[in-house]
Coordinates of all heavy atoms in Angstrom, one line a residue:
Q440 N -10.2 -12.1 13.2 CA -10.1 -10.8 12.4 C -11.3 -9.9 12.6 O -11.5 -9.0 11.9 CB -10.0 -11.2 10.9 CG -8.7 -12.0 10.6 CD -7.4 -11.1 10.7 OE1 -7.4 -10.2 11.5 NE2 -6.4 -11.5 9.9
A441 N -12.1 -10.2 13.7 CA -13.4 -9.5 13.9 C -13.1 -8.0 14.3 O -13.9 -7.2 14.1 CB -14.3 -10.2 14.9
S442 N -12.0 -7.8 15.0 CA -11.7 -6.5 15.5 C -10.2 -6.2 15.3 O -9.4 -7.0 14.8 CB -12.0 -6.4 17.0 OG -11.1 -7.2 17.7
E443 N -9.9 -4.9 15.5 CA -8.5 -4.5 15.3 C -8.1 -3.4 16.3 O -8.9 -2.8 17.0 CB -8.4 -3.8 13.8 CG -9.2 -2.6 13.7 CD -9.6 -2.3 12.2 OE1 -10.1 -3.2 11.5 OE2 -9.3 -1.1 11.8
R444 N -6.8 -3.2 16.4 CA -6.2 -2.2 17.3 C -5.7 -1.0 16.6 O -4.7 -1.1 15.9 CB -5.1 -3.0 18.0 CG -4.3 -2.1 19.0 CD -3.3 -3.0 19.8 NE -2.3 -3.6 18.9 CZ -1.1 -3.1 18.6 NH1 -0.7 -1.9 19.1 NH2 -0.3 -3.7 17.8
P445 N -6.4 0.1 16.6 CA -5.9 1.3 15.9 C -4.6 1.8 16.6 O -4.6 2.0 17.8 CB -7.0 2.3 16.1 CG -8.2 1.5 16.5 CD -7.7 0.4 17.3
I446 N -3.6 1.9 15.8 CA -2.3 2.4 16.3 C -2.5 3.9 16.7 O -3.1 4.6 16.0 CB -1.2 2.3 15.2 CG1 -0.9 0.9 14.8 CG2 0.1 3.0 15.7 CD1 -0.4 0.0 15.9
G447 N -1.9 4.2 17.9 CA -2.1 5.6 18.4 C -3.4 5.8 19.1 O -3.7 6.9 19.5
G448 N -4.1 4.7 19.4 CA -5.3 4.8 20.2 C -5.1 5.3 21.6 O -6.1 5.6 22.3
G449 N -3.9 5.2 22.1 CA -3.6 5.7 23.4 C -4.0 4.7 24.5 O -4.5 3.6 24.2
L450 N -3.8 5.1 25.7 CA -4.0 4.2 26.8 C -5.4 3.6 26.9 O -5.6 2.5 27.2 CB -3.7 5.0 28.1 CG -3.2 4.2 29.3 CD1 -2.0 3.4 28.9 CD2 -2.8 5.2 30.4
F451 N -6.4 4.5 26.6 CA -7.8 4.1 26.7 C -8.4 3.7 25.4 O -9.5 3.3 25.3 CB -8.6 5.2 27.3 CG -8.0 5.7 28.6 CD1 -7.3 6.9 28.7 CD2 -8.1 4.8 29.8 CE1 -6.8 7.3 29.9 CE2 -7.5 5.2 31.0 CZ -6.9 6.4 31.0
G452 N -7.6 3.7 24.3 CA -8.0 3.4 23.0 C -8.2 1.9 22.9 O -7.2 1.1 22.9
G453 N -9.4 1.4 22.8 CA -9.6 0.0 22.8 C -9.7 -0.5 21.3 O -9.3 0.2 20.4
R454 N -10.1 -1.8 21.2 CA -10.2 -2.3 19.8 C -11.5 -1.8 19.2 O -12.4 -1.5 19.9 CB -10.2 -3.8 19.9 CG -8.9 -4.4 20.5 CD -8.9 -5.9 20.5 NE -8.8 -6.5 19.2 CZ -7.6 -6.9 18.7 NH1 -6.5 -6.7 19.3 NH2 -7.6 -7.5 17.5
V455 N -11.5 -1.8 17.9 CA -12.7 -1.4 17.2 C -13.0 -2.6 16.2 O -12.2 -3.4 15.8 CB -12.5 -0.1 16.4 CG1 -12.2 1.0 17.3 CG2 -11.5 -0.2 15.3
D456 N -14.3 -2.6 15.8 CA -14.8 -3.6 14.9 C -14.1 -3.5 13.5 O -14.0 -2.3 13.0 CB -16.3 -3.6 14.7 CG -17.0 -4.0 15.9 OD1 -16.4 -4.7 16.8 OD2 -18.3 -3.8 16.0

Side-chain angles (χ1 to χ4, degrees):
Q440 296 290 27
S442 68
E443 64 201 53
R444 176 175 62 93
I446 297 296
L450 208 52
F451 305 105
R454 296 179 75 90
V455 300
D456 287 347

